[in-house]
Amino acid sequence: MKFKDQPVISMREFSREMIDHILTAAEKMEPIARGEQRSDLLSGKILAVLFFEPSTRTRMSFETAMLRLGGDVLNLGSVDASSIAKGETLADTIRVVDGYVDAIVLRHPKEGAAHLASEFSRVPILNAGDGAGHHPTQTLLDLYTIKRESQLENLKIALAGDLKYGRTVHSLCYALSLYGAQITLTSPKELRMPDEIINDITARGAKIKEVDSIEEAISDVDVLYMTRIQKERFPDPAEYRKVANKLKITTETLKSAKPELKIMHPLPRVNEIDNNVDDTPHACYFKQAFYGVPVRMALLGLVLGAIE
Ligand code: CP
């Protein structure tokens, strides 16, 4: 298995063997991620962080991962304060930044931006989200969370919310298809999972069904993966207002759930999970955000050739 110098663009490129390898490496990183052990595994390495869209978790967990492993981070900072504001293209920005660093993390509003960047970069590009496209490192931490808090084998999972624009669920579906998961989808009808993805992942072995309500979706699943309605992706704000607040989890909704149900969410949440749910044993989303650190440590270690 070769990870060194490889770009990470979409989950389509990952085999189950590759994913399992990363998740095993992430387990070994956990004590370092928690600050219980020190490491200089990536000493001398520099990671560039280029975010053309807002982020809290992805940006900060990549930065934490690099710092915990003794590496350095070079953050582009605000796009408005960079030469992008003068009209510099993404391709030119990448061709310049790749001379300063050993790997580049890129978030961009345009689908396909990470793939484009990888064609111009001499160093590996790690896709931190490209529009409504993919978010592969989120998927790796989602799988890690499922492995740690529930089970990846024979998994029954419900994906709920904005399945049209939500890139995290697109990437997650591709990965879950490798594990033969039973996937239940529920969303407002305007925000269904694109047929192209449903067809692709069915062909890859996933068992899919679509249901009309969250209550129906959660009745026999191990994991409920909630997502935010992606307001920023709607071409027409009136269309957003029609679907906003249509799906919400409360402690009342959870009455039909299995006691061991885990609720995940890539975050940020807006109001699709009531705060009262945070105090139930089902809530898993803040742990999930932490697991981004060991997973991204493992990925950086592999891509930068510090571990195999
Ligand atoms: N899950 C996720 O991508 O969060 P951020 O937008 O805060 O990075």
Side-chain angles (χ1 to χ4, degrees), residues 156-160 182-187 209-224 247-249 252-258 261:
K156 290 185 185 171
I157 183 167
L159 309 181
Q182 291 186 39
I183 306 173
T184 303
L185 306 175
T186 190
S187 65
K209 70 173 174 182
E210 291 182 78
V211 300
D212 292 332
S213 71
I214 290 216
E215 286 79 359
E216 198 181 339
I218 63 172
S219 57
D220 74 336
V221 295
D222 308 301
V223 172
L224 168 65
L247 289 184
K248 183 162 184 170
I249 290 281
E252 190 62 28
T253 324
L254 293 171
K255 283 189 174 151
S256 61
K258 294 204 274 195
L261 173 80

Side-chain angles (χ1 to χ4, degrees), residues 170-185:
H170 298 167
S171 290
L172 184 57
C173 275
Y174 279 98
L176 289 173
S177 67
L178 298 172
Y179 291 85
Q182 291 186 39
I183 306 173
T184 303
L185 306 175

Side-chain angles (χ1 to χ4, degrees), residues 92-110:
D92 280 1
T93 302
I94 294 293
R95 279 188 283 209
V96 171
V97 174
D98 78 359
Y100 303 156
V101 299
D102 302 290
I104 297 173
V105 180
L106 175 70
R107 172 170 288 187
H108 199 281
K110 289 217 171 79

Side-chain angles (χ1 to χ4, degrees), residues 8-290:
V8 176
I9 307 299
S10 110
M11 285 315 292
R12 287 199 193 103
E13 299 126 28
F14 282 80
S15 65
R16 179 168 168 166
E17 191 190 11
M18 289 164 80
I19 295 170
D20 288 340
H21 190 76
I22 295 167
L23 303 190
T24 302
E27 271 176 60
K28 295 182 191 139
M29 295 291 180
E30 256 204 63
I32 308 168
R34 293 186 191 282
E36 294 159 7
Q37 286 176 19
R38 292 181 66 83
S39 168
D40 58 2
L41 191 71
L42 296 183
S43 173
K45 300 288 185 189
I46 304 176
L47 178 71
V49 177
L50 272 56
F51 277 59
F52 293 68
E53 271 193 342
S55 168
T56 297
R57 281 145 290 274
T58 312
R59 181 175 58 77
M60 293 190 73
S61 62
F62 260 117
E63 292 185 355
T64 304
M66 202 63 192
L67 297 174
R68 290 276 193 211
L69 291 174
D72 288 300
V73 174
L74 195 57
N75 194 327
L76 174 76
S78 156
V79 167
D80 290 341
S82 75
S83 285
I84 296 154
K86 300 177 200 162
E88 185 164 57
T89 63
L90 177 63
D92 280 1
T93 302
I94 294 293
R95 279 188 283 209
V96 171
V97 174
D98 78 359
Y100 303 156
V101 299
D102 302 290
I104 297 173
V105 180
L106 175 70
R107 172 170 288 187
H108 199 281
K110 289 217 171 79
E111 217 170 311
H115 176 71
L116 177 89
S118 71
E119 297 199 326
F120 289 96
S121 182
R122 289 181 301 108
V123 301
I125 298 286
L126 307 175
N127 182 6
D130 59 332
H134 295 271
H135 195 348
T137 69
Q138 175 71 42
T139 292
L140 291 169
L141 80 88
D142 292 341
L143 295 171
Y144 187 73
T145 306
I146 295 169
K147 185 178 174 192
R148 293 282 274 104
E149 304 296 328
S150 182
Q151 63 196 40
L152 267 172
E153 300 300 326
N154 304 316
L155 177 71
K156 290 185 185 171
I157 183 167
L159 309 181
D162 184 348
L163 306 183
K164 178 178 179 183
Y165 296 118
R167 58 195 173 199
T168 62
V169 281
H170 298 167
S171 290
L172 184 57
C173 275
Y174 279 98
L176 289 173
S177 67
L178 298 172
Y179 291 85
Q182 291 186 39
I183 306 173
T184 303
L185 306 175
T186 190
S187 65
K189 65 178 186 323
E190 300 87 341
L191 298 176
R192 282 185 64 244
M193 178 75 71
D195 283 335
E196 182 199 340
I197 298 181
I198 294 184
N199 294 340
D200 254 13
I201 57 179
T202 304
R204 286 162 58 110
K207 299 167 212 70
I208 307 251
K209 70 173 174 182
E210 291 182 78
V211 300
D212 292 332
S213 71
I214 290 216
E215 286 79 359
E216 198 181 339
I218 63 172
S219 57
D220 74 336
V221 295
D222 308 301
V223 172
L224 168 65
Y225 193 100
M226 279 300 286
T227 60
R228 174 178 67 91
I229 309 283
Q230 306 276 305
K231 183 179 180 184
E232 64 276 25
R233 311 256 178 253
F234 281 72
D236 177 357
E239 292 301 311
Y240 169 72
R241 286 194 292 275
K242 274 191 212 162
V243 291
N245 304 320
K246 271 206 171 169
L247 289 184
K248 183 162 184 170
I249 290 281
T250 64
T251 45
E252 190 62 28
T253 324
L254 293 171
K255 283 189 174 151
S256 61
K258 294 204 274 195
E260 59 273 28
L261 173 80
K262 297 295 177 196
I263 302 173
M264 296 171 58
H265 192 307
L267 302 177
R269 66 175 152 180
V270 182
N271 51 14
E272 56 278 357
I273 302 179
D274 191 274
N275 288 351
N276 290 342
V277 175
D278 300 357
D279 300 325
T280 71
H282 302 297
C284 205
Y285 24 92
F286 293 116
K287 272 188 187 173
Q288 182 185 354
F290 164 74

